[in-house]
Amino acid sequence: MASTVASGSVVYERRVVERIHKYHWPAVQLNIWMLIMLIAACLIIGVFATFIQIQQQLLLPVPWYFPYYITVGALTVTFIVVLLWLIYQRRLLPSIVMIGGFILFVLWLVGLIVISVELWGPTGSVSSNCNLFVFGANPQPTGQSLNTLAWLEQRTICQSWQAVFAFGLVGAIFLLWIMVMAYQVFADDSA
């Protein structure tokens, strides 16, 4: 603290020392996590955007979970962009990652449960319809015809549902992983 005397009184000037606490994040794990989560989020956004287009083309109502999962995917991409910005600013805190990861985990888990019910539900599930009409089609259409094109489109839709479930599961597991990683970064720093 510095002091100066001005006309019989003492004036103290306080020096502000900015101390930035830095955490050591495992760079390779964090980069792999961001890459896989970007892939999962973008796949889900793309598949459900395509499904919405198909529903609108067929003049069918759009189920609520299509835009829900698109929104969750967009929030995930936004979260990763914010993490990248914080990394660039050297201000990535474990608490931010844990809170954001937990919120996204709950959102992904809700989407995963809905997709599971639609994919393997009790009656009229996507999986049973796909197994009956698409994968179980005997003989499978071949050649250059509208039947073959329709069958290929149906198979693509069935495989898209399977991909959404797989990447939804991977996304939920990776969100658990980032929360554990953030806790380890915090624990390693306090030790």
Side-chain angles (χ1 to χ4, degrees), residues 53-117:
Q53 181 187 13
I54 291 170
Q55 292 291 106
Q56 290 173 341
Q57 190 69 31
L58 294 172
L59 301 176
L60 295 172
V62 176
W64 67 270
Y65 49 87
F66 288 2
Y68 170 82
Y69 230 157
I70 289 174
T71 305
V72 170
L75 286 173
T76 303
V77 172
T78 304
F79 180 65
I80 292 170
V81 169
V82 168
L83 291 183
L84 288 170
W85 182 77
L86 288 171
I87 289 169
Y88 177 75
Q89 297 291 323
R90 299 187 188 278
R91 304 242 188 221
L92 184 61
L93 301 175
S95 57
I96 293 171
V97 175
M98 280 193 275
I99 292 169
F102 178 74
I103 292 169
L104 286 174
F105 173 74
V106 170
L107 294 173
W108 277 71
L109 193 61
V110 168
L112 187 62
I113 290 169
V114 170
I115 295 306
S116 299
V117 168

